[in-house]
């Protein structure tokens, strides 16, 4: 925050300098233009055979000199501005540390496999954002050779969303019908919402679409029990087709909010069905990183100053707990009650026969010579091999 404030101060200084310079220039240039126009007018008004007196020549030369000096002064002031602009650049360099390697896990971005993974994540992000050309260019440049099956879910998602944004319900309805069974397993209201939007589109047109709207209402049959109240309200709106639904107690149905929410509902449900996360993993990582980096960089600095850099040796665990808020809670975590450490891939939680859970490391530490382990919470004795790994 301090860094931003420092840069902002410098930018403010530059903007006020620029504004005052601009005003000054504007004023001087107007003055010069007026002076030149005056001279031109006087010259044109003079009779053809008029000869300039020496006083007139002197005044003319003086005005020309004044204008020339003024213009060169403006250009010097403009050049001075360069130093102020470059000062902003220097302030940015000074205030923002661009070297994050100190807090990077060793080798995280090195090696062919890691590079490929990184490129794949970036490519998927572009696909997800609908930046298909960029994704394709990266796919080719980085030699990723992403298969069509891998790209297809993103392409389909994007195609349907684009249609929805253009108020075309067709592709989304087709998709929802195709996946009706799985959507209902997930308790999704997507298909109902899509039909409702089409129905609203019909009743908006008034009496001429009455028959069509009534026929279309048959599509609501499978949703009758689940969305009874909404259906009552939709059917009620049919009574006002003659006067126009916009003048009826059902005018809320015409609000644009339904179109906004359908894109969100579709993205959420489609991502769940396709096994994709709703938010781009890359954006989540970057946002979380932006929050986590400043405290990590400062703790690194403190460690270096006190020469205790070795404390941060467990690369899978951060030296301090960083609370990113509930937005970033995606799954449960397990902290071993014995070792008081958060579980990791190499040290996962293990469920003992008695039902108590401890970490794998704790389990092997508690095992005795006879390859038996006594649960630290209840005295049940068991074999360490009987414990089962738990996945969250
Ligand atoms: Zn136990």
């Amino acid at each position: 925050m301090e860094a931003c404030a420092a840069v902002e101060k410098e930018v403010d200084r530059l903007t006020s300098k620029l504004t005052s310079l601009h005003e000054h220039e504007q004023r001087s240039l107007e003055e010069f233009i007026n002076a030149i126009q005056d001279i031109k007018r006087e010259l044109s008004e003079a009779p053809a055979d008029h000869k300039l007196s020496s006083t007139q020549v002197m005044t003319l030369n003086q005005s020309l000199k004044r204008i020339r000096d003024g213009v060169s002064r403006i250009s010097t002031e403009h050049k001075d501005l360069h130093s102020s602009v470059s000062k902003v650049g220097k302030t940015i360099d000074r205030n923002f540390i661009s070297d994050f390697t100190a807090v990077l896990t060793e080798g995280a971005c090195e090696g062919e496999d890691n590079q490929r993974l990184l490129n794949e994540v970036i490519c998927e992000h572009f696909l997800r954002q609908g930046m298909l050309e960029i994704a394709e260019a990266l796919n080719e440049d980085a030699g990723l050779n992403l298969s069509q099956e891998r790209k297809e879910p993103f392409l389909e998602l994007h195609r349907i969303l684009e249609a929805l944004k253009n108020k075309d319900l067709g592709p989304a309805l087709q998709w929802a019908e195709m996946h009706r069974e799985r959507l209902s397993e997930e308790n999704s209201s997507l298909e109902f919402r899509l039909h409702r939007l089409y129905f609203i589109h019909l009743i908006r047109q008034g009496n001429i679409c009455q028959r069509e709207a009534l026929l279309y209402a048959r599509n609501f049959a499978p949703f009758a029990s689940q969305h009874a109240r909404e259906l009552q309200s939709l059917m009620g709106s049919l009574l006002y087709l003659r006067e126009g639904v916009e003048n009826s107690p059902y005018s809320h149905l015409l609000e644009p909010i339904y179109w906004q929410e359908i894109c969100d509902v579709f993205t959420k449900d489609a991502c769940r069905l396709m096994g994709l996360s709703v938010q781009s993993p890359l954006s989540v990582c970057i946002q979380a990183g932006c929050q986590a980096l400043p405290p990590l960089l400062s703790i690194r600095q403190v460690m270096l100053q006190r020469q205790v850099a070795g404390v941060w040796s467990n690369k899978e665990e951060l030296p301090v707990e960083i609370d990113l808020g509930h937005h970033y809670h995606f799954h449960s975590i397990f902290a071993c009650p014995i070792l008081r450490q958060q579980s990791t891939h190499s040290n996962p939680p293990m469920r003992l026969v008695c039902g108590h859970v401890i970490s794998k490391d704790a389990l092997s530490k508690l095992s005795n010579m006879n390859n038996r382990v006594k649960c630290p919470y209840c005295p049940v004795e068991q074999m360490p091999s009987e414990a089962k790994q738990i996945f969250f």
Side-chain angles (χ1 to χ4, degrees):
M1 233 24 241
E2 275 167 39
C4 290
V7 175
E8 206 176 347
K9 212 167 118 192
E10 205 56 53
V11 173
D12 283 346
R13 205 174 289 159
L14 177 68
T15 346
S16 70
K17 207 168 172 182
L18 202 67
T19 327
S20 73
L21 184 69
H22 182 72
E23 280 168 11
H24 176 231
E25 273 180 16
Q26 197 81 13
R27 238 184 357 254
S28 316
L29 285 176
E30 266 171 34
E31 224 170 83
F32 298 152
I33 292 168
N34 286 341
I36 293 171
Q37 274 168 349
D38 281 346
I39 296 171
K40 269 177 78 182
R41 201 177 44 246
E42 268 180 50
L43 285 175
S44 65
E45 280 167 5
D49 55 348
H50 178 76
K51 271 207 157 184
L52 289 175
S53 68
S54 59
T55 335
Q56 276 172 324
V57 171
M58 211 169 77
T59 330
L60 198 60
N61 278 337
Q62 266 173 359
S63 327
L64 284 177
K65 190 174 175 311
R66 200 160 53 85
I67 293 169
R68 210 174 294 133
D69 288 352
V71 171
S72 86
R73 199 169 53 242
I74 289 176
S75 118
T76 322
E77 280 171 351
H78 189 255
K79 262 183 217 148
D80 285 348
L81 213 60
H82 285 281
S83 71
S84 305
V85 174
S86 73
K87 219 168 162 188
V88 174
K90 278 179 199 147
T91 321
I92 294 174
D93 289 347
R94 203 171 47 241
N95 282 286
F96 290 93
I97 309 158
S98 51
D99 183 18
F100 301 134
T101 43
V103 291
L104 206 63
T105 307
E106 244 169 78
C109 296
E110 287 159 25
E112 215 169 289
D113 287 347
N114 289 351
Q115 286 282 340
R116 189 187 157 82
L117 271 175
L118 196 60
N119 281 330
E120 277 183 20
V121 171
I122 298 173
C123 194
E124 279 194 2
H125 175 79
F126 287 137
L127 284 171
R128 178 186 288 270
Q129 304 301 109
M131 297 151 104
L132 308 180
E133 278 175 35
I134 303 180
E136 201 44 55
L138 179 64
N139 187 21
E140 273 176 36
D141 284 356
L144 294 175
N145 296 323
L146 284 189
S147 64
Q148 196 57 32
E149 293 99 80
R150 184 112 178 249
K151 284 189 256 174
E152 194 47 49
F154 297 106
L155 300 182
E156 189 176 22
L157 189 74
H158 182 64
R159 210 166 36 233
I160 298 175
L161 270 177
E162 268 306 290
L164 278 181
K165 279 180 195 151
N166 294 325
K167 304 208 168 175
D168 175 9
L169 293 164
L173 266 169
Q174 214 178 351
W175 186 89
E177 271 164 31
M178 217 157 69
H179 298 91
R180 183 177 287 163
E181 216 165 291
R182 285 190 60 203
L183 282 170
S184 78
E185 274 170 22
E186 300 276 348
N187 229 351
S188 157
S189 59
L190 177 69
E191 198 183 347
F192 169 73
R193 284 170 193 262
L194 289 166
H195 282 307
R196 179 171 65 180
L197 268 175
Y198 193 81
F199 185 79
I200 293 173
H201 158 73
L202 290 175
I203 57 168
R204 184 190 290 273
Q205 297 168 52
N207 223 7
I208 46 162
C209 285
Q210 189 187 32
R211 205 182 128 72
E212 204 182 333
L214 275 170
L215 283 174
Y216 195 81
R218 289 183 187 169
N219 285 307
F220 290 128
F223 314 102
S225 56
Q226 219 182 340
H227 299 280
R229 278 199 72 84
E230 286 120 311
L231 279 175
Q232 281 169 3
S233 142
L234 287 173
M235 293 306 120
S237 69
L238 285 173
L239 296 172
Y240 292 89
L241 282 189
R242 204 176 293 272
E243 293 90 348
V245 182
E246 63 275 17
N247 306 317
S248 75
Y250 297 98
S251 57
H252 62 90
L253 288 175
L254 305 178
E255 279 171 22
I257 180 103
Y258 292 105
W259 280 102
Q260 287 157 21
E261 76 176 15
I262 198 70
C263 292
D264 293 341
V265 173
F266 173 75
T267 314
K268 218 171 98 215
D269 288 356
C271 283
R272 198 186 299 153
L273 246 63
M274 294 180 193
L276 305 170
S277 55
V278 176
Q279 275 176 294
S280 150
L282 184 64
S283 323
V284 173
C285 283
I286 290 177
Q287 283 162 19
C290 288
Q291 283 191 47
L293 267 180
L296 286 181
L297 283 167
S298 43
I299 198 145
R300 180 81 200 174
Q301 199 63 30
V302 174
M303 282 176 163
L304 283 177
Q305 275 165 9
R306 306 214 172 144
Q307 297 180 335
V308 285
V311 173
W312 192 352
S313 54
N314 190 348
K315 294 292 181 191
E316 281 201 57
E317 201 177 7
L318 296 176
V320 279
E321 197 169 315
I322 292 171
D323 187 9
L324 298 174
H326 70 276
H327 275 309
Y328 292 92
H329 285 184
F330 295 101
H331 53 77
S332 306
I333 49 164
F334 174 75
C336 174
I338 307 295
L339 298 178
R340 306 206 171 278
Q341 268 176 0
Q342 205 172 305
S343 58
T344 57
H345 279 301
S346 54
N347 182 26
M350 303 296 282
R351 181 193 181 276
L352 303 176
V353 177
C354 54
H356 289 112
V357 182
I358 58 175
S359 68
K360 196 176 177 183
D361 283 358
L363 182 68
S364 55
K365 279 193 179 129
L366 289 172
S367 308
N368 61 21
M369 300 284 274
N370 307 325
N371 205 21
R372 304 284 296 172
V373 67
K374 204 170 178 181
C375 171
Y377 290 95
C378 61
V380 173
E381 240 195 11
Q382 52 208 292
M383 306 248 290
S385 55
E386 289 172 309
K388 286 199 169 72
Q389 186 176 341
I390 286 185
F391 296 90
F392 287 115

